[in-house]
Coordinates of all heavy atoms in Angstrom, one line a residue:
M1 N 52.8 92.8 32.7 CA 51.8 93.7 33.3 C 52.3 94.2 34.6 O 51.8 95.2 35.1 CB 50.5 93.0 33.5 CG 49.3 93.9 33.3 SD 47.7 93.1 33.3 CE 47.9 92.0 31.9
W2 N 53.2 93.5 35.2 CA 53.8 94.0 36.5 C 55.2 94.6 36.2 O 56.1 94.5 37.0 CB 53.9 92.8 37.5 CG 52.5 92.4 38.0 CD1 51.4 93.2 38.0 CD2 52.2 91.2 38.5 NE1 50.4 92.5 38.5 CE2 50.8 91.2 38.8 CE3 52.9 90.0 38.7 CZ2 50.1 90.1 39.3 CZ3 52.2 88.9 39.3 CH2 50.8 89.0 39.6
G3 N 55.4 95.1 35.1 CA 56.7 95.7 34.8 C 57.7 94.7 34.4 O 57.3 93.6 33.9
S4 N 58.9 95.0 34.5 CA 59.9 94.1 34.0 C 60.6 93.3 35.1 O 61.8 93.1 35.1 CB 61.0 94.9 33.2 OG 61.5 95.9 34.1
R5 N 59.8 92.9 36.1 CA 60.3 92.1 37.2 C 60.9 90.8 36.6 O 60.4 90.2 35.7 CB 59.2 91.7 38.1 CG 59.2 92.5 39.4 CD 58.3 91.9 40.3 NE 57.8 92.8 41.3 CZ 56.8 92.6 42.1 NH1 56.2 91.4 42.1 NH2 56.4 93.4 43.0
R6 N 62.0 90.4 37.3 CA 62.5 89.1 36.8 C 62.0 87.9 37.6 O 61.5 88.1 38.7 CB 64.1 89.2 37.0 CG 64.7 90.3 36.3 CD 66.1 90.4 36.6 NE 66.8 89.1 36.4 CZ 68.1 88.9 36.3 NH1 68.9 89.9 36.4 NH2 68.6 87.7 36.2
D7 N 62.0 86.8 37.0 CA 61.6 85.6 37.7 C 62.5 85.4 38.9 O 63.6 85.7 38.9 CB 61.7 84.4 36.8 CG 60.6 84.4 35.7 OD1 59.6 85.2 35.9 OD2 60.7 83.6 34.8
G8 N 61.9 84.8 39.9 CA 62.7 84.4 41.1 C 62.7 85.4 42.1 O 63.3 85.2 43.2
D9 N 62.1 86.5 41.9 CA 62.1 87.5 43.0 C 61.2 87.0 44.1 O 60.3 86.2 43.9 CB 61.7 88.9 42.5 CG 60.2 88.9 42.2 OD1 59.4 89.2 43.1 OD2 59.9 88.7 41.0
D10 N 61.4 87.5 45.3 CA 60.5 87.1 46.4 C 59.8 88.3 47.1 O 59.6 88.3 48.2 CB 61.3 86.3 47.4 CG 62.5 87.0 47.9 OD1 62.7 88.2 47.5 OD2 63.2 86.5 48.8
G11 N 59.6 89.3 46.3 CA 58.9 90.5 46.8 C 57.4 90.2 47.0 O 57.0 89.0 46.7
P12 N 56.7 91.2 47.4 CA 55.3 91.0 47.5 C 54.6 90.6 46.2 O 55.1 91.0 45.2 CB 54.8 92.3 48.1 CG 55.8 93.3 47.7 CD 57.1 92.5 47.7
V13 N 53.5 89.9 46.3 CA 52.7 89.6 45.1 C 51.3 90.1 45.3 O 50.9 90.5 46.4 CB 52.7 88.0 45.0 CG1 54.1 87.5 44.7 CG2 52.0 87.4 46.2
T14 N 50.6 90.2 44.2 CA 49.3 90.8 44.2 C 48.2 89.7 44.2 O 48.2 88.9 43.3 CB 49.1 91.7 43.0 OG1 50.1 92.7 43.1 CG2 47.8 92.4 43.1
C15 N 47.4 89.7 45.2 CA 46.3 88.8 45.2 C 45.4 89.1 44.0 O 45.0 90.2 43.8 CB 45.5 88.9 46.5 SG 44.0 88.0 46.5
I16 N 45.0 88.0 43.2 CA 44.2 88.2 42.0 C 42.8 88.5 42.4 O 42.0 89.0 41.6 CB 44.3 87.0 41.1 CG1 43.8 85.7 41.8 CG2 45.7 86.8 40.6 CD1 43.7 84.6 40.8
A17 N 42.4 88.2 43.6 CA 41.0 88.4 44.0 C 40.7 89.8 44.6 O 39.8 90.5 44.1 CB 40.6 87.4 45.0
C18 N 41.5 90.2 45.5 CA 41.2 91.5 46.2 C 42.2 92.6 45.8 O 42.0 93.8 46.0 CB 41.2 91.4 47.7 SG 42.8 90.9 48.4
G19 N 43.3 92.2 45.1 CA 44.3 93.2 44.6 C 45.3 93.6 45.7 O 46.1 94.5 45.4
D20 N 45.2 93.1 46.9 CA 46.1 93.4 47.9 C 47.5 92.8 47.6 O 47.6 91.8 47.1 CB 45.6 92.8 49.3 CG 44.6 93.7 49.9 OD1 44.3 94.8 49.4 OD2 44.1 93.3 51.0
E21 N 48.5 93.6 48.1 CA 49.8 93.0 48.0 C 50.1 92.2 49.3 O 49.8 92.7 50.4 CB 50.9 94.1 47.9 CG 50.9 94.7 46.5 CD 52.3 95.3 46.2 OE1 53.0 95.6 47.2 OE2 52.6 95.4 45.1
V22 N 50.5 91.0 49.1 CA 50.8 90.2 50.3 C 52.2 89.6 50.1 O 52.7 89.4 49.0 CB 49.8 89.0 50.4 CG1 48.4 89.6 50.8 CG2 49.8 88.2 49.2
P23 N 52.9 89.3 51.2 CA 54.2 88.7 51.1 C 54.1 87.4 50.3 O 53.1 86.6 50.5 CB 54.7 88.4 52.6 CG 53.8 89.4 53.4 CD 52.5 89.5 52.6
R24 N 55.1 87.1 49.5 CA 54.9 85.9 48.7 C 54.8 84.6 49.5 O 54.1 83.7 49.2 CB 56.2 85.8 47.8 CG 56.0 84.7 46.7 CD 57.1 84.9 45.6 NE 56.9 84.0 44.6 CZ 57.5 84.1 43.4 NH1 58.1 85.2 43.1 NH2 57.3 83.2 42.5
D25 N 55.4 84.6 50.7 CA 55.3 83.5 51.6 C 53.9 83.3 52.1 O 53.6 82.2 52.5 CB 56.3 83.6 52.8 CG 57.7 83.4 52.4 OD1 57.9 82.9 51.3 OD2 58.6 83.7 53.2
D26 N 53.2 84.3 52.1 CA 51.8 84.2 52.7 C 50.8 84.0 51.6 O 49.6 83.9 51.8 CB 51.4 85.5 53.4 CG 52.1 85.5 54.8 OD1 52.5 84.4 55.2 OD2 52.1 86.6 55.5
A27 N 51.2 84.0 50.4 CA 50.3 83.9 49.3 C 50.3 82.5 48.7 O 51.3 81.7 48.8 CB 50.7 84.8 48.1
R28 N 49.2 82.1 48.2 CA 49.1 80.8 47.6 C 49.3 81.0 46.1 O 48.6 81.7 45.4 CB 47.7 80.2 47.8 CG 47.5 78.9 47.1 CD 46.2 78.3 47.3 NE 46.0 77.2 46.3 CZ 45.0 76.4 46.3 NH1 44.1 76.5 47.2 NH2 44.8 75.5 45.3
E29 N 50.3 80.3 45.6 CA 50.6 80.4 44.2 C 49.5 79.6 43.4 O 49.2 78.5 43.7 CB 52.0 79.8 43.9 CG 52.5 80.1 42.5 CD 53.9 79.6 42.4 OE1 54.1 78.4 42.2 OE2 54.9 80.4 42.5
Y30 N 49.0 80.3 42.4 CA 48.0 79.6 41.6 C 48.3 79.8 40.2 O 48.4 80.9 39.7 CB 46.6 80.1 42.0 CG 45.6 79.4 41.1 CD1 45.2 78.1 41.5 CD2 45.0 80.0 40.0 CE1 44.3 77.4 40.7 CE2 44.1 79.3 39.2 CZ 43.8 78.0 39.6 OH 42.9 77.4 38.8
D31 N 48.4 78.7 39.5 CA 48.6 78.7 38.0 C 47.4 78.1 37.3 O 47.1 77.0 37.4 CB 49.9 77.9 37.7 CG 50.1 77.9 36.2 OD1 49.4 78.6 35.5 OD2 50.9 77.1 35.8
K32 N 46.7 79.0 36.6 CA 45.4 78.5 36.0 C 45.7 77.5 34.9 O 44.8 76.8 34.5 CB 44.6 79.7 35.5 CG 45.3 80.5 34.4 CD 44.4 81.6 33.9 CE 45.0 82.4 32.8 NZ 46.2 83.1 33.1
H33 N 46.9 77.5 34.5 CA 47.2 76.5 33.4 C 47.6 75.1 34.0 O 47.8 74.2 33.3 CB 48.3 77.0 32.5 CG 47.9 78.2 31.8 ND1 46.8 78.3 30.9 CD2 48.4 79.5 31.8 CE1 46.7 79.5 30.4 NE2 47.6 80.3 31.0
G34 N 47.8 75.1 35.3 CA 48.1 73.8 36.0 C 49.5 73.3 35.7 O 49.8 72.2 35.8
N35 N 50.4 74.2 35.3 CA 51.7 73.9 35.0 C 52.7 74.8 35.8 O 52.9 75.9 35.3 CB 52.0 73.9 33.5 CG 53.4 73.5 33.2 OD1 54.3 73.3 34.0 ND2 53.6 73.3 31.9
R36 N 53.2 74.3 36.9 CA 54.0 75.2 37.7 C 55.5 75.2 37.3 O 56.3 75.9 37.9 CB 53.9 74.7 39.2 CG 52.6 75.0 39.8 CD 52.6 74.3 41.2 NE 51.3 74.6 41.8 CZ 51.1 75.5 42.7 NH1 52.2 76.3 43.1 NH2 50.0 75.7 43.3
W37 N 55.8 74.4 36.3 CA 57.2 74.3 36.0 C 57.6 75.1 34.7 O 58.7 75.4 34.5 CB 57.5 72.9 35.7 CG 57.4 72.1 37.0 CD1 58.4 71.9 38.0 CD2 56.2 71.5 37.5 NE1 57.8 71.2 39.0 CE2 56.6 70.9 38.8 CE3 54.9 71.3 37.0 CZ2 55.6 70.2 39.5 CZ3 54.0 70.6 37.8 CH2 54.4 70.1 39.0
E38 N 56.6 75.5 33.9 CA 56.9 76.3 32.8 C 56.8 77.8 33.2 O 55.7 78.3 33.3 CB 55.9 75.9 31.6 CG 56.1 76.8 30.4 CD 57.6 76.7 29.9 OE1 58.0 75.7 29.4 OE2 58.3 77.8 30.0
R39 N 57.9 78.4 33.3 CA 57.8 79.8 33.8 C 58.1 80.8 32.7 O 58.2 82.0 33.0 CB 58.8 80.0 35.0 CG 58.4 79.2 36.2 CD 59.4 79.4 37.3 NE 58.9 78.7 38.6 CZ 58.2 79.4 39.5 NH1 58.0 80.7 39.4 NH2 57.8 78.8 40.6
T40 N 58.3 80.4 31.6 CA 58.6 81.3 30.5 C 57.4 82.0 30.0 O 56.4 81.4 29.7 CB 59.3 80.6 29.3 OG1 60.4 79.8 29.8 CG2 59.8 81.6 28.3
D41 N 57.5 83.4 29.9 CA 56.4 84.1 29.3 C 55.1 83.9 30.0 O 54.0 83.8 29.4 CB 56.2 83.8 27.8 CG 57.3 84.4 27.0 OD1 58.0 85.3 27.5 OD2 57.5 83.9 25.9
K42 N 55.1 83.8 31.3 CA 53.9 83.7 32.0 C 54.0 84.3 33.3 O 55.1 84.5 33.9 CB 53.5 82.2 32.2 CG 54.4 81.5 33.2 CD 54.0 80.0 33.2 CE 52.6 79.8 33.8 NZ 52.4 78.4 34.0
Q43 N 52.8 84.6 33.9 CA 52.8 85.2 35.2 C 52.0 84.3 36.1 O 50.9 83.8 35.7 CB 52.2 86.6 35.2 CG 53.0 87.6 34.5 CD 52.3 88.9 34.3 OE1 51.1 88.9 34.2 NE2 53.0 90.0 34.2
F44 N 52.5 84.1 37.3 CA 51.7 83.3 38.2 C 50.6 84.2 38.9 O 50.8 85.4 39.0 CB 52.6 82.7 39.3 CG 53.3 81.5 38.9 CD1 54.5 81.6 38.2 CD2 52.7 80.3 39.0 CE1 55.2 80.5 37.8 CE2 53.4 79.1 38.6 CZ 54.6 79.3 37.9
E45 N 49.6 83.5 39.2 CA 48.5 84.2 40.0 C 48.7 83.9 41.4 O 49.2 82.8 41.8 CB 47.1 83.7 39.5 CG 47.0 83.5 38.0 CD 46.6 84.8 37.3 OE1 47.3 85.8 37.5 OE2 45.7 84.7 36.6
Y46 N 48.3 84.8 42.3 CA 48.4 84.6 43.7 C 47.1 84.9 44.4 O 46.4 85.8 44.0 CB 49.6 85.4 44.3 CG 50.9 85.0 43.8 CD1 51.5 85.6 42.7 CD2 51.6 84.0 44.5 CE1 52.7 85.2 42.3 CE2 52.9 83.6 44.0 CZ 53.4 84.2 42.9 OH 54.6 83.9 42.4
L47 N 46.9 84.2 45.4 CA 45.7 84.5 46.3 C 46.2 84.7 47.7 O 47.0 83.9 48.2 CB 44.7 83.3 46.3 CG 44.0 83.0 45.0 CD1 43.3 81.7 45.1 CD2 43.0 84.1 44.6
C48 N 45.7 85.7 48.4 CA 46.0 85.9 49.8 C 45.2 84.8 50.5 O 44.3 84.2 50.0 CB 45.7 87.3 50.3 SG 44.0 87.7 50.3
K49 N 45.5 84.6 51.8 CA 44.9 83.5 52.5 C 43.4 83.6 52.6 O 42.6 82.7 52.4 CB 45.6 83.3 53.9 CG 46.9 82.7 53.7 CD 47.6 82.5 55.0 CE 49.0 81.8 54.8 NZ 49.8 81.7 56.0
P50 N 42.9 84.8 53.0 CA 41.4 85.0 53.1 C 40.7 84.6 51.7 O 39.7 84.0 51.7 CB 41.2 86.4 53.5 CG 42.5 86.8 54.2 CD 43.6 86.0 53.4
C51 N 41.3 85.1 50.6 CA 40.7 84.9 49.4 C 40.8 83.4 49.0 O 39.9 82.8 48.4 CB 41.3 85.7 48.3 SG 40.9 87.5 48.5
D52 N 41.9 82.8 49.3 CA 42.1 81.4 49.1 C 41.1 80.6 49.8 O 40.5 79.7 49.2 CB 43.5 81.0 49.5 CG 43.8 79.5 49.2 OD1 43.4 79.1 48.1 OD2 44.4 78.9 50.1
R53 N 40.8 81.0 51.0 CA 39.8 80.3 51.8 C 38.4 80.4 51.2 O 37.7 79.5 51.0 CB 39.8 80.8 53.2 CG 40.5 79.9 54.2 CD 40.1 80.2 55.6 NE 40.3 81.6 56.0 CZ 41.5 82.1 56.4 NH1 42.5 81.3 56.5 NH2 41.6 83.3 56.7
A54 N 38.2 81.7 50.7 CA 36.9 81.9 50.1 C 36.7 81.1 48.9 O 35.7 80.6 48.6 CB 36.7 83.4 49.8
C55 N 37.8 81.0 48.1 CA 37.7 80.3 46.8 C 37.5 78.8 47.1 O 36.8 78.1 46.3 CB 39.0 80.5 46.0 SG 39.1 82.2 45.4
C56 N 38.2 78.3 48.1 CA 38.0 76.9 48.4 C 36.6 76.5 48.8 O 36.3 75.4 48.8 CB 39.0 76.5 49.5 SG 40.7 76.4 49.0
H57 N 35.9 77.5 49.2 CA 34.5 77.3 49.6 C 33.5 77.5 48.5 O 32.3 77.6 48.7 CB 34.1 78.1 50.8 CG 34.9 77.7 52.0 ND1 35.2 78.5 53.1 CD2 35.5 76.5 52.3 CE1 35.9 77.9 54.0 NE2 36.1 76.7 53.5
Q58 N 34.0 77.7 47.3 CA 33.1 77.8 46.2 C 32.2 76.5 46.1 O 32.7 75.4 46.1 CB 33.9 77.9 44.9 CG 34.6 79.2 44.7 CD 33.6 80.4 44.6 OE1 32.7 80.3 43.9 NE2 33.9 81.4 45.3
P59 N 30.9 76.7 46.2 CA 30.0 75.6 46.3 C 29.9 74.8 45.0 O 29.5 73.6 45.0 CB 28.7 76.2 46.6 CG 28.8 77.6 46.1 CD 30.2 78.0 46.2
R60 N 30.1 75.4 43.9 CA 29.9 74.7 42.7 C 31.1 74.2 42.1 O 31.8 73.2 42.6 CB 29.1 75.6 41.7 CG 29.7 77.0 41.6 CD 28.9 77.9 40.7 NE 29.6 79.1 40.4 CZ 30.2 79.4 39.3 NH1 30.1 78.5 38.3 NH2 30.9 80.5 39.1
K61 N 31.6 74.8 41.0 CA 32.8 74.3 40.3 C 34.0 74.7 41.1 O 34.0 75.5 42.0 CB 32.8 74.8 38.9 CG 31.7 74.3 38.1 CD 31.7 74.9 36.7 CE 31.3 76.3 36.6 NZ 31.3 76.8 35.2
G62 N 35.1 74.1 40.7 CA 36.4 74.4 41.4 C 36.9 75.8 41.0 O 36.3 76.5 40.0
L63 N 37.9 76.2 41.7 CA 38.4 77.5 41.4 C 38.9 77.7 40.0 O 38.7 78.7 39.3 CB 39.6 77.7 42.4 CG 40.5 79.0 42.1 CD1 39.6 80.2 42.3 CD2 41.6 79.0 43.1
E64 N 39.5 76.6 39.5 CA 40.1 76.7 38.1 C 39.0 77.0 37.1 O 39.1 77.9 36.2 CB 40.8 75.5 37.8 CG 41.5 75.6 36.4 CD 42.7 74.6 36.4 OE1 43.1 74.1 37.4 OE2 43.2 74.4 35.3
S65 N 37.9 76.3 37.3 CA 36.8 76.5 36.3 C 36.2 77.9 36.5 O 35.8 78.5 35.5 CB 35.7 75.5 36.6 OG 36.1 74.2 36.4
M66 N 36.2 78.3 37.7 CA 35.7 79.7 38.0 C 36.5 80.7 37.3 O 36.0 81.7 36.7 CB 35.6 79.9 39.5 CG 34.8 81.2 39.8 SD 34.8 81.6 41.6 CE 36.4 82.3 41.8
L67 N 37.8 80.6 37.4 CA 38.7 81.5 36.8 C 38.5 81.6 35.3 O 38.5 82.6 34.7 CB 40.2 81.2 37.2 CG 40.6 81.4 38.6 CD1 42.0 80.9 38.9 CD2 40.4 82.8 39.1
V68 N 38.4 80.4 34.7 CA 38.1 80.4 33.3 C 36.8 81.1 32.9 O 36.8 81.9 32.0 CB 38.1 78.9 32.8 CG1 37.7 78.8 31.3 CG2 39.5 78.3 33.0
D69 N 35.8 80.8 33.8 CA 34.5 81.4 33.5 C 34.6 82.9 33.6 O 34.0 83.7 32.9 CB 33.5 81.0 34.6 CG 33.0 79.6 34.3 OD1 33.3 79.0 33.2 OD2 32.4 79.0 35.2
L70 N 35.5 83.4 34.5 CA 35.6 84.8 34.7 C 36.5 85.5 33.6 O 36.7 86.7 33.6 CB 36.2 85.1 36.1 CG 35.4 84.7 37.2 CD1 36.1 84.9 38.6 CD2 34.0 85.4 37.2
G71 N 37.1 84.7 32.8 CA 37.9 85.2 31.7 C 39.3 85.4 32.0 O 40.0 86.3 31.4
A72 N 39.8 84.7 33.0 CA 41.2 84.8 33.3 C 42.1 84.7 32.1 O 42.0 83.8 31.3 CB 41.6 83.8 34.4
G73 N 43.0 85.7 31.9 CA 43.9 85.7 30.8 C 43.3 86.2 29.5 O 44.0 86.3 28.5
E74 N 42.0 86.5 29.6 CA 41.4 87.0 28.4 C 40.9 88.4 28.5 O 40.8 89.1 27.5 CB 40.2 86.1 28.0 CG 40.7 84.7 27.7 CD 39.5 83.7 27.5 OE1 38.4 84.1 27.6 OE2 39.8 82.5 27.3
V75 N 40.5 88.8 29.7 CA 40.0 90.1 29.9 C 41.1 90.9 30.6 O 42.1 90.3 31.1 CB 38.7 90.2 30.7 CG1 37.6 89.4 30.0 CG2 39.0 89.6 32.1
S76 N 41.0 92.2 30.7 CA 42.0 93.0 31.4 C 42.1 92.6 32.8 O 41.1 92.0 33.4 CB 41.7 94.5 31.3 OG 40.6 94.8 32.1
R77 N 43.2 92.8 33.5 CA 43.3 92.5 34.9 C 42.3 93.2 35.7 O 41.7 92.6 36.7 CB 44.8 92.8 35.4 CG 45.0 92.4 36.8 CD 46.5 92.2 37.0 NE 46.9 91.0 36.3 CZ 47.1 89.8 37.0 NH1 47.0 89.7 38.2 NH2 47.5 88.8 36.3
E78 N 42.0 94.4 35.4 CA 41.1 95.2 36.2 C 39.7 94.6 36.1 O 39.0 94.4 37.1 CB 41.0 96.6 35.7 CG 42.3 97.5 36.0 CD 43.5 97.1 35.2 OE1 43.3 96.5 34.1 OE2 44.6 97.3 35.6
E79 N 39.3 94.2 34.9 CA 38.0 93.6 34.7 C 38.0 92.2 35.4 O 37.0 91.9 36.0 CB 37.8 93.4 33.2 CG 36.5 92.6 32.8 CD 35.2 93.3 33.2 OE1 35.3 94.5 33.4 OE2 34.2 92.7 33.3
F80 N 39.1 91.5 35.3 CA 39.1 90.2 35.9 C 39.0 90.3 37.5 O 38.2 89.6 38.1 CB 40.4 89.5 35.6 CG 40.5 88.2 36.3 CD1 39.7 87.1 36.0 CD2 41.4 88.0 37.3 CE1 39.8 85.9 36.7 CE2 41.5 86.8 38.0 CZ 40.7 85.7 37.7
L81 N 39.7 91.3 38.0 CA 39.6 91.5 39.5 C 38.2 91.9 39.9 O 37.7 91.4 40.9 CB 40.6 92.6 39.9 CG 42.1 92.3 39.8 CD1 42.9 93.5 40.1 CD2 42.4 91.1 40.7
A82 N 37.5 92.7 39.1 CA 36.2 93.1 39.4 C 35.3 91.9 39.4 O 34.5 91.7 40.3 CB 35.7 94.1 38.4
R83 N 35.4 91.1 38.4 CA 34.6 89.9 38.3 C 34.9 88.9 39.4 O 33.9 88.3 40.0 CB 34.8 89.2 36.9 CG 34.4 89.9 35.7 CD 34.7 89.1 34.5 NE 34.5 89.8 33.2 CZ 34.5 89.3 32.0 NH1 34.8 88.0 31.9 NH2 34.4 90.0 31.0
F84 N 36.1 88.7 39.7 CA 36.5 87.8 40.7 C 36.0 88.2 42.0 O 35.5 87.4 42.8 CB 38.1 87.7 40.7 CG 38.6 86.5 41.5 CD1 39.1 85.4 40.8 CD2 38.5 86.4 42.9 CE1 39.6 84.3 41.5 CE2 38.9 85.3 43.5 CZ 39.5 84.3 42.8
H85 N 36.1 89.5 42.3 CA 35.6 90.0 43.6 C 34.1 89.8 43.7 O 33.7 89.3 44.7 CB 36.0 91.5 43.7 CG 35.6 92.1 45.0 ND1 34.4 92.8 45.2 CD2 36.2 92.1 46.2 CE1 34.3 93.2 46.4 NE2 35.4 92.8 47.1
D86 N 33.4 90.1 42.7 CA 32.0 89.9 42.7 C 31.6 88.4 42.9 O 30.8 88.1 43.7 CB 31.3 90.3 41.4 CG 31.3 91.9 41.2 OD1 31.5 92.5 42.3 OD2 31.0 92.3 40.1
A87 N 32.3 87.6 42.3 CA 32.0 86.1 42.4 C 32.3 85.6 43.8 O 31.5 84.9 44.4 CB 32.9 85.4 41.4
T88 N 33.4 86.0 44.4 CA 33.8 85.5 45.7 C 32.9 86.1 46.8 O 32.5 85.5 47.7 CB 35.3 85.8 46.0 OG1 35.5 87.2 45.9 CG2 36.2 85.0 45.1
V89 N 32.6 87.4 46.6 CA 31.7 88.1 47.6 C 30.3 87.4 47.5 O 29.7 87.1 48.6 CB 31.6 89.6 47.3 CG1 30.5 90.2 48.2 CG2 32.9 90.2 47.7
E90 N 29.8 87.2 46.4 CA 28.5 86.6 46.2 C 28.5 85.2 46.9 O 27.6 84.8 47.6 CB 28.1 86.4 44.8 CG 27.5 87.7 44.2 CD 27.2 87.5 42.7 OE1 26.9 86.4 42.3 OE2 27.1 88.5 42.0
A91 N 29.6 84.4 46.6 CA 29.7 83.1 47.2 C 29.6 83.1 48.7 O 29.0 82.3 49.3 CB 30.9 82.4 46.7
Q92 N 30.3 84.1 49.3 CA 30.3 84.2 50.7 C 29.0 84.6 51.3 O 28.5 84.1 52.3 CB 31.4 85.2 51.2 CG 32.8 84.6 51.0 CD 33.9 85.7 51.3 OE1 33.8 86.8 50.9 NE2 34.8 85.3 52.1
E93 N 28.3 85.5 50.6 CA 27.0 86.0 51.1 C 26.0 84.8 51.0 O 25.1 84.8 51.8 CB 26.5 87.1 50.2 CG 27.3 88.4 50.5 CD 26.9 89.6 49.6 OE1 26.2 89.3 48.6 OE2 27.3 90.7 49.9
H94 N 26.2 84.0 50.0 CA 25.2 82.9 49.8 C 25.5 81.7 50.7 O 24.8 80.7 50.6 CB 25.1 82.5 48.4 CG 24.6 83.6 47.5 ND1 24.5 83.5 46.1 CD2 24.0 84.8 47.8 CE1 23.9 84.6 45.7 NE2 23.7 85.4 46.7
S95 N 26.6 81.7 51.4 CA 27.0 80.5 52.1 C 26.4 80.5 53.5 O 26.6 79.5 54.2 CB 28.5 80.4 52.2 OG 29.0 81.5 53.0
D96 N 25.8 81.5 53.9 CA 25.2 81.5 55.3 C 23.9 80.7 55.3 O 23.0 81.0 54.5 CB 24.9 82.9 55.7 CG 26.2 83.5 56.4 OD1 27.0 82.6 56.8 OD2 26.3 84.7 56.5
Ligands
LIG1 ZN1 42.9 88.5 48.4

């Protein structure tokens, strides 16, 4: 989905929550499958730091469960981003 990039590049990555490009060093690598070592035919997800913080403050289930609920890997990336954004914004609004 990100073209024919090769593994091992260290260019900017896209935050799965807000869609911003962030330097890979500043992003938190997130693998919804929980397997960081199998890199074949898969794409890693990344969260920028603000979104990572927001996700960590999810009051109910963990981030992984939330991603599954949102249809990660099953719906289009655009749809997923929209759902993710809604979920994280709602969580923040309700946390006050
Ligand atoms: Zn973000």
Side-chain angles (χ1 to χ4, degrees):
M1 214 173 297
W2 291 335
S4 54
R5 257 193 205 170
R6 301 176 48 164
D7 286 347
D9 71 86
D10 56 358
V13 296
T14 303
C15 172
I16 60 175
C18 63
D20 277 357
E21 283 206 338
V22 294
R24 191 163 181 161
D25 283 350
D26 281 347
R28 174 178 165 174
E29 190 175 80
Y30 180 76
D31 175 10
K32 64 181 182 292
H33 297 297
N35 181 349
R36 287 169 179 267
W37 294 272
E38 177 55 69
R39 289 177 175 268
T40 305
D41 286 342
K42 70 185 292 187
Q43 292 173 331
F44 281 88
E45 319 273 52
Y46 294 93
L47 292 170
C48 67
K49 285 179 178 174
C51 291
D52 181 41
R53 261 198 302 278
C55 289
C56 286
H57 293 157
Q58 288 296 315
R60 47 187 190 102
K61 296 180 285 182
L63 171 61
E64 185 155 347
S65 297
M66 189 181 81
L67 291 177
V68 172
D69 285 349
L70 294 177
E74 296 171 3
V75 300
S76 72
R77 180 154 293 256
E78 290 72 22
E79 174 67 18
F80 176 71
L81 289 176
R83 293 183 188 184
F84 196 108
H85 184 262
D86 286 348
T88 53
V89 168
E90 277 181 26
Q92 285 176 313
E93 285 175 349
H94 293 176
S95 67
D96 271 341

